[in-house]
Amino acid sequence: MDSYLGIDFGTSGARAVVIDEQACIQAQARYPFEMSEVSDLASCWKTALFSLLEQIPQQLRGEMRAIAINGTSSTVLLCDDAGKPVDVPLLYNDARGAAVIEHLRSIAPPNHTVLSATSSLAKLLWMSQLPSFAQARYFLHQADWLAFLLHGQLGVSDYHNALKLGYDVEKFIYPEWLEKMQVRIHLPKVVTPGTFIAGLRPEIASQFGLHRDCYVCAGTTDSIAAFLASGAQFPGEAVTSLGSTLVLKLLSRTRVEDAKYGIYSHRLGDLWLTGGASNTGGAVLGQFFTHAELESLSREIDGSKVSELDYYPLLKPGERFPINDANLAPRLQPRPNNDVEFLHGLLESIARIEARGYELLQEFGADQLTRVYTAGGGAANDTWSEIRVRYLQVPVVRPVNTQAAYGTALLAMRGVGEINRTRRRGRRGVGGEIGRMNPTICSTNDRTDGDSDYIN
């Protein structure tokens, strides 16, 4: 039986999910990132990728037909002609691009998605000032580079990752204002997520015993992969990813963009995934509590009661959405002596930020919120869900499948389906749009446990 592999690179680790032709999970693997590995991110990612492949049972590897990878949005790196990184990658929340924002404002249209200190384009402009830029030939996103390690084709990206680089996802081109910048580097060729890029490198197929006809497909971002995994498909339905950070995605018939508030829209077929990503989330909770403490203390909280504590939980200064301010200071005081009260205040404050995010999207013209699916480790916290329902005023549900890796596996499976349809039509190449991907509801034994990016 054919199998399909989705790989998710999050902030706390990497995960893999293998599904069969019925979209049921056949195997899972994880690779947690260690703090000692942060000094050499690219090597850490490569080790994680190969470790995940090794963890997959040999029989499934031999049946693998397609692989797709997602990465954190706007995590980027510079590479030479051989694909070797020439400097340290910049992570999704790295705000060093703030130094070039005023220059970028003079180039990009007002309130464009790239006008954020953490956008891919802001990072590229900042990196262009580094001594290492002279050796760079390609600018890639995390998912692009990891896929390159498997298929060997440099300079290919998908239009989900390329959105914050300035790619026009309506016209499917780099806009004229971006072309005029004449940055001396190869920008990625951009294709539809799920598009067949190339077969595996022969040495990779041989090393891991992978099917000789296994394809590598264009990937996506981690939060969109979580959306695909949820099964949400109608305008007004949304997915909140409660991992290390807080990410909102609302399916809308209207495209909504405003960099002033950190709002942007990804294309999804004929609809739009409008939303934003906040720096608050599970990583802040993990600063104060262990996994076990979060579980036990949450059970003591009465989610029906309002906490009087008003926090803005951040690990460090800087926020992206619903407030876009690279200097916004964390607000974590006063801290009560009672840990239950403190955690209650943190959970409620994050819920307020989530609710404000959805309110803002609707104020700008997105469809009215009707239902919120929850992905990420925080989806399992029933107390938090109760608090969030109080603020969101719509049903909050946990989908059968919550892992971003599962959504990416669906993308890989769809890529093979598109290849087969193209062959039947007698045409070369793969394209088209991301359609609705309704995951099969398998037995409870196949149910995923959620993203390990923090909360339980």
Side-chain angles (χ1 to χ4, degrees):
M1 181 179 292
D2 290 341
S3 60
Y4 308 89
L5 172 62
I7 299 177
D8 163 44
F9 272 75
T11 53
S12 65
R15 306 151 195 83
V17 166
V18 180
I19 62 173
D20 61 19
E21 293 171 313
Q22 283 70 50
C24 293
I25 295 174
Q26 299 301 308
Q28 301 184 64
R30 299 192 178 205
Y31 184 95
F33 296 148
E34 302 293 339
M35 290 302 297
S36 60
E37 297 175 307
V38 173
S39 60
D40 192 353
L41 281 173
S43 292
C44 170
W45 297 344
K46 182 176 180 179
T47 299
L49 175 63
F50 291 169
S51 174
L52 291 174
L53 292 175
E54 288 174 345
Q55 291 179 54
I56 296 167
Q58 182 59 61
Q59 179 181 346
L60 291 175
R61 277 186 264 167
E63 298 169 347
M64 200 80 66
R65 293 300 313 281
I67 301 171
I69 302 174
N70 77 67
T72 48
S73 179
S74 290
T75 294
V76 298
L77 69 165
L78 298 171
C79 299
D80 63 18
D81 279 329
K84 181 180 179 181
V86 301
D87 213 320
V88 178
L90 297 186
L91 294 175
Y92 66 97
N93 60 350
D94 194 304
R96 275 177 274 192
V100 299
I101 281 296
E102 288 309 312
H103 174 55
L104 195 51
R105 288 187 197 281
S106 68
I107 301 169
N111 295 326
H112 195 281
T113 303
V114 300
L115 296 175
S116 166
T118 59
S119 76
S120 299
L121 186 56
K123 290 186 175 81
L124 173 57
L125 288 185
W126 184 86
M127 295 166 92
S128 69
Q129 303 171 0
L130 300 175
S132 59
F133 195 75
Q135 286 77 50
R137 295 295 178 268
Y138 292 92
F139 178 77
L140 299 176
H141 300 89
Q142 181 186 36
D144 309 338
W145 184 73
L146 289 164
F148 153 74
L149 295 179
L150 299 182
H151 58 58
Q153 305 296 312
L154 267 173
V156 184
S157 189
D158 63 272
Y159 64 56
H160 289 159
N161 273 293
L163 178 73
K164 295 180 185 178
L165 182 56
Y167 186 77
D168 189 329
V169 295
E170 284 191 289
K171 298 180 180 178
F172 301 110
I173 58 171
Y174 283 110
E176 185 177 353
W177 62 263
L178 181 55
E179 297 281 3
K180 287 181 178 179
M181 290 176 64
Q182 297 183 334
V183 181
R184 295 180 178 275
I185 199 166
H186 292 294
L187 295 181
K189 173 187 176 183
V190 181
V191 300
T192 299
T195 297
F196 158 70
I197 297 175
L200 288 168
R201 288 178 169 180
E203 64 270 25
I204 294 293
S206 176
Q207 179 181 350
F208 296 102
L210 292 161
H211 195 288
R212 61 185 178 86
D213 290 329
C214 182
Y215 300 106
V216 181
C217 299
T220 183
T221 65
D222 55 347
S223 59
I224 293 182
F227 189 96
L228 298 176
S230 73
Q233 58 181 308
F234 299 109
E237 293 185 328
V239 171
T240 295
S241 295
L242 292 175
S244 294
T245 58
L246 171 71
V247 183
L248 312 186
K249 299 290 183 189
L250 171 60
L251 198 58
S252 173
R253 285 164 290 196
T254 303
R255 183 182 185 181
V256 175
E257 303 260 344
D258 198 315
K260 181 180 179 181
Y261 296 96
I263 297 172
Y264 55 92
S265 290
H266 282 284
R267 190 182 189 111
L268 198 71
D270 295 327
L271 299 174
W272 296 94
L273 268 184
T274 181
S278 169
N279 288 336
T280 193
V284 183
L285 304 182
Q287 186 180 34
F288 299 104
F289 303 105
T290 66
H291 207 72
E293 287 171 337
L294 288 168
E295 287 185 346
S296 61
L297 293 173
S298 293
R299 287 193 290 267
E300 297 184 47
I301 296 172
D302 184 349
S304 66
K305 294 184 177 179
V306 177
S307 170
E308 296 181 359
L309 298 169
D310 182 17
Y311 299 140
Y312 206 106
L314 298 170
L315 287 176
K316 60 183 180 180
E319 175 62 309
R320 299 175 288 166
F321 169 83
I323 300 170
N324 190 5
D325 182 354
N327 300 308
L328 185 70
R331 190 170 69 247
L332 294 164
Q333 297 293 334
R335 176 171 180 172
N337 293 327
N338 187 308
D339 281 345
V340 174
E341 292 180 17
F342 182 48
L343 179 58
H344 188 181
L346 290 173
L347 296 180
E348 188 135 344
S349 296
I350 296 173
R352 278 196 295 269
I353 294 170
E354 178 189 7
R356 177 55 190 152
Y358 282 122
E359 288 173 1
L360 196 59
L361 297 177
Q362 292 167 93
E363 288 172 10
F364 275 86
D367 279 71
Q368 182 176 351
L369 186 68
T370 60
R371 178 185 298 266
V372 175
Y373 294 88
T374 310
N381 191 315
D382 293 335
T383 302
W384 203 358
S385 295
E386 184 179 0
I387 294 170
R388 293 169 57 227
V389 167
R390 197 160 27 86
Y391 280 96
L392 295 171
Q393 295 294 300
V394 297
V396 173
V397 297
R398 187 183 184 194
V400 172
N401 295 293
T402 63
Q403 291 198 79
Y406 179 82
T408 311
L410 290 175
L411 193 61
M413 183 168 66
R414 182 194 176 279
V416 170
E418 193 68 38
I419 292 169
N420 292 336
R421 284 190 290 275
T422 299
R423 285 174 173 170
R424 286 195 295 270
R425 291 194 299 263
R427 296 210 308 256
R428 298 178 65 185
V430 178
E433 298 293 339
I434 298 271
R436 292 177 179 172
M437 290 185 285
N438 297 323
T440 302
I441 298 178
C442 305
S443 69
T444 54
N445 291 332
D446 296 316
R447 183 173 180 151
T448 63
D449 296 322
D451 190 333
S452 65
D453 268 351
Y454 245 98
I455 300 308
N456 238 345

